[in-house]
Amino acid sequence: MYWRIPILIFWKSKLALLFLILISLVLHVLIALLPVLELNLQEGCDRHMQAADQGIPPLPNRPVLKSRPSNTKRDLQNYASTRASQSLEKVEDSSDRSQSFHQKPDSQRDVHKYSSSKLAALFQHPLYKIPTPALKPGDQLFSVNSAERFNPKSTNSYGWVSLEQEYVLPVGDSPADTYPSWLKFYIGINRYELYARNSSLIAPLLQELATTRIVRVIQKHGGTQLKLMMTFQNYGKALFKPMKILDFRRIPPVSGRQINVVKEIQELTTDEHLKHTFFNSPANNVCFYGDCTYYCDIEHALCGKPHLMEGSLALFLPDVKLAKRLSWRNPWRRAYHKRKKAKWEMDPSFCDQIKKTPPYDSGTRLLDVMDMTILDFLMGNMDRHHYETFQDFANDSFLLHLDNGRGFGKHSHDELSILVPLQQCCRIRRRTFLRLQLLATDSYKLSDVMRESLLSDRLSPILTEPHLTALDRRLRTVLETTGECIDRHGYDRVVENDLESWAASQ
């Protein structure tokens, strides 16, 4: 009986953190890929509506956040027509010079074409296809010899193992045919993104993560919790985390998977330390606990039911010996000390100092941190110690968010301290601001789009309804916080217009 109590407590306390990697990726994708559209919102703006009713003009440097349900729905549907039929009209306001994009109405048939699926309508939006900048020499992580066929070598440097019968080498008529999906993913990494916005590679890659035969398992040491490194038949590698899932375009693709603890871990592992931690519980479930800093002991054992376990498989990034990454300490990291606070907790003007400190004094790094802050707040992830970048791209590159394990913990609590970077810096990309506004409308409600997008995972449902409701609530808080910044500093000083060059080219 004493075996069951800690196991039951562990499963109950950790259940809310299930599938964090996949959820994070989907959330990033929804924000990063949403069409750019300036919309007016109802929430958090009662004072503007009351002023309008009384004939009082709105503040000059802040857009009026006002909802028009029927017109908004029609406008969003109209945007789903073909690119050839669209027109973009820039309207410059004398006070905030904010741009609005409009499109000519299309046929009634096209208007309702995607009405049954918010995701389908979303992904058909023409502004969803805003291109990334043209790649220049040095913008791709790898240079590829198109005449060379895929031929893995027996070397620990690359994490590949000797050719054995259970491994399957890709074959094909052309050299490119021999590239497995994970290698094609590596080739596509560039300065601006881990993978292309409309990449046809991601769906089969997720399918492979969920189904491809596992041939080798070892424990990845370090960190506070158990992680297993799994190798597939096609030489791909993924990180398995029991009961947790992460995911995104700045996070490697991740899929949920049900693992046979005996056949796919115990019998395949070459890690003797891991192998010696397996045991059968009194309920005859197969359990193990591995070796890590804090939670790898018999009281926190992971158990199958009786031998099947749900978890996440996150695709490995290229080996650091092939593509070195830099780890950056988050300026707003927490002190985790009972009596000692971090500088940002005591100094409201902390961001003024950060703005003068490299790499935040130039480029887009500070705006990237603001994007990361917003994502963390939506997830409730207050444990962002570090973020990473590829060394080859220097300061001009996207940020990698590789540790989201504290996300989606308490759906009933919104940790406002996560938003402190946005509150102190009062800076946000215009594209991000408009996407967030779009997610707050009924037509593309964040919780609805999130729920639908997670249905494709093999372990669906991923998020509970209270967690989905929390996303909508936290989104309103982000918009209200941005609005307060605009009230204090003015629209142009808060919202960085990163869409001007794109709009000019249309």
Side-chain angles (χ1 to χ4, degrees):
M1 185 64 183
Y2 70 92
W3 288 92
R4 300 183 183 179
I5 295 176
I7 294 174
L8 290 175
I9 294 175
F10 171 79
W11 282 85
K12 184 176 180 180
S13 64
K14 294 296 182 179
L15 186 59
L17 299 179
L18 184 62
F19 310 129
L20 296 175
I21 302 179
L22 178 62
I23 296 168
S24 178
L25 180 143
V26 173
L27 185 57
H28 273 291
V29 169
L30 292 177
I31 294 176
L33 305 188
L34 280 172
V36 181
L37 179 64
E38 185 125 38
L39 294 174
N40 295 326
L41 304 179
Q42 179 70 37
E43 292 84 2
C45 60
D46 290 340
R47 62 183 183 276
H48 289 285
M49 294 187 65
Q50 292 172 359
D53 291 338
Q54 299 170 8
I56 301 174
L59 294 175
N61 288 320
R62 180 176 177 185
V64 178
L65 303 181
K66 189 174 181 180
S67 176
R68 294 182 300 155
S70 59
N71 292 339
T72 297
K73 183 176 182 180
R74 184 179 67 253
D75 291 342
L76 291 175
Q77 291 171 333
N78 288 341
Y79 273 103
S81 60
T82 61
R83 193 175 186 84
S85 66
Q86 66 178 322
S87 64
L88 293 175
E89 178 184 351
K90 293 191 294 181
V91 179
E92 185 177 84
D93 182 83
S94 59
S95 57
D96 62 23
R97 298 193 302 280
S98 173
Q99 296 175 342
S100 296
F101 299 99
H102 304 279
Q103 180 179 323
K104 297 177 181 179
D106 209 332
S107 66
Q108 190 71 15
R109 179 190 62 183
D110 289 337
V111 165
H112 297 288
K113 184 175 181 180
Y114 304 102
S115 59
S116 62
S117 168
K118 291 186 178 182
L119 271 182
L122 176 65
F123 295 147
Q124 288 299 320
H125 197 297
L127 297 182
Y128 163 84
K129 300 177 181 178
I130 297 175
T132 56
L135 297 181
K136 302 175 182 177
D139 282 350
Q140 291 182 288
L141 190 60
F142 297 112
S143 59
V144 180
N145 182 352
S146 59
E148 186 173 349
R149 301 174 71 87
F150 173 68
N151 184 24
K153 301 175 181 178
S154 175
T155 168
N156 291 330
S157 298
Y158 300 156
W160 287 326
V161 295
S162 302
L163 290 173
E164 300 176 14
Q165 187 174 0
E166 63 264 34
Y167 286 83
V168 177
L169 192 66
V171 296
D173 296 332
S174 68
D177 293 334
T178 66
Y179 298 163
S181 296
W182 60 265
L183 183 56
K184 295 177 182 178
F185 171 80
Y186 288 1
I187 293 172
I189 298 174
N190 60 65
R191 183 182 301 278
Y192 306 104
E193 56 195 3
L194 275 177
Y195 50 90
R197 190 174 275 114
N198 297 316
S199 174
S200 60
L201 178 65
I202 300 304
L205 190 56
L206 294 176
Q207 175 72 8
E208 289 181 8
L209 286 172
T211 60
T212 303
R213 181 185 172 193
I214 300 167
V215 297
R216 186 169 181 253
V217 178
I218 60 174
Q219 186 174 189
K220 190 178 189 304
H221 295 279
T224 60
Q225 299 181 24
L226 176 67
K227 298 178 289 292
L228 302 179
M229 187 167 61
M230 297 183 170
T231 306
F232 301 121
Q233 272 189 315
N234 64 358
Y235 296 87
K237 291 166 61 178
L239 191 68
F240 178 77
K241 289 188 176 183
M243 299 190 64
K244 296 178 174 63
I245 292 189
L246 312 171
D247 223 302
F248 160 58
R249 264 190 1 151
R250 296 180 183 178
I251 296 175
V254 175
S255 174
R257 178 163 177 165
Q258 192 173 63
I259 295 292
N260 187 310
V261 173
V262 176
K263 295 184 179 299
E264 295 182 297
I265 297 181
Q266 185 178 21
E267 294 179 0
L268 294 179
T269 185
T270 58
D271 189 325
E272 294 299 324
H273 293 287
L274 174 63
K275 187 177 294 186
H276 289 158
T277 68
F278 278 83
F279 64 92
N280 286 350
S281 73
N284 206 30
N285 294 325
V286 182
C287 306
F288 66 100
Y289 52 87
D291 180 25
C292 62
T293 308
Y294 293 112
Y295 301 111
C296 291
D297 53 50
I298 201 165
E299 292 186 0
H300 297 92
L302 302 165
C303 299
K305 295 182 179 180
H307 55 271
L308 297 179
M309 175 183 293
E310 294 181 344
S312 68
L313 276 173
L315 186 70
F316 259 47
L317 288 173
D319 191 277
V320 293
K321 294 183 179 180
L322 296 175
K324 189 174 181 179
R325 301 194 300 271
L326 300 177
S327 179
W328 303 84
R329 297 181 71 183
N330 182 6
W332 285 271
R333 64 189 176 277
R334 297 177 181 276
Y336 289 103
H337 196 284
K338 292 182 178 179
R339 294 177 296 275
K340 183 179 179 181
K341 292 185 177 181
K343 290 183 179 180
W344 60 266
E345 294 179 283
M346 300 181 293
D347 183 6
S349 62
F350 176 76
C351 188
D352 293 339
Q353 175 185 346
I354 297 300
K355 290 178 180 179
K356 301 175 183 178
T357 306
Y360 305 99
D361 59 346
S362 63
T364 62
R365 182 65 66 90
L366 187 63
L367 291 170
D368 290 330
V369 172
M370 295 302 106
D371 286 349
M372 181 174 66
T373 294
I374 292 171
L375 175 79
D376 284 339
F377 179 70
L378 292 176
M379 293 190 301
N381 177 26
M382 55 187 294
D383 197 32
R384 182 68 65 187
H385 295 290
H386 299 80
Y387 61 86
E388 295 188 12
T389 60
F390 287 110
Q391 179 176 274
D392 288 352
F393 298 146
N395 191 34
D396 187 16
S397 175
F398 65 91
L399 310 184
L400 286 164
H401 310 168
L402 298 181
D403 187 0
N404 307 282
R406 293 287 296 274
F408 293 101
K410 296 180 180 179
H411 58 76
S412 59
H413 175 68
D414 299 342
E415 183 54 55
L416 296 179
S417 64
I418 302 175
L419 271 187
V420 166
L422 179 62
Q423 294 169 341
Q424 292 182 346
C425 297
C426 277
R427 295 289 290 163
I428 189 173
R429 281 187 173 92
R430 183 168 182 265
R431 182 180 305 193
T432 300
F433 187 36
L434 299 180
R435 288 168 180 160
L436 294 174
Q437 291 183 58
L438 184 64
L439 281 168
T441 65
D442 288 338
S443 298
Y444 296 110
K445 192 175 182 180
L446 177 57
S447 59
D448 292 340
V449 180
M450 188 71 159
R451 184 187 300 104
E452 184 179 349
S453 64
L454 292 174
L455 290 176
S456 60
D457 191 82
R458 285 177 167 262
L459 301 184
S460 179
I462 305 298
L463 280 181
T464 63
E465 286 301 314
H467 277 300
L468 293 170
T469 301
L471 285 174
D472 295 327
R473 184 180 66 245
R474 292 166 185 169
L475 174 57
R476 290 194 296 270
T477 301
V478 174
L479 290 173
E480 290 170 359
T481 301
T482 306
E484 292 168 359
C485 284
I486 294 173
D487 281 344
R488 296 200 307 268
H489 304 289
Y491 186 86
D492 289 342
R493 295 187 61 184
V494 174
V495 182
E496 176 74 20
N497 190 0
D498 62 330
L499 299 174
E500 187 172 0
S501 59
W502 174 80
S505 67
Q506 301 305 301

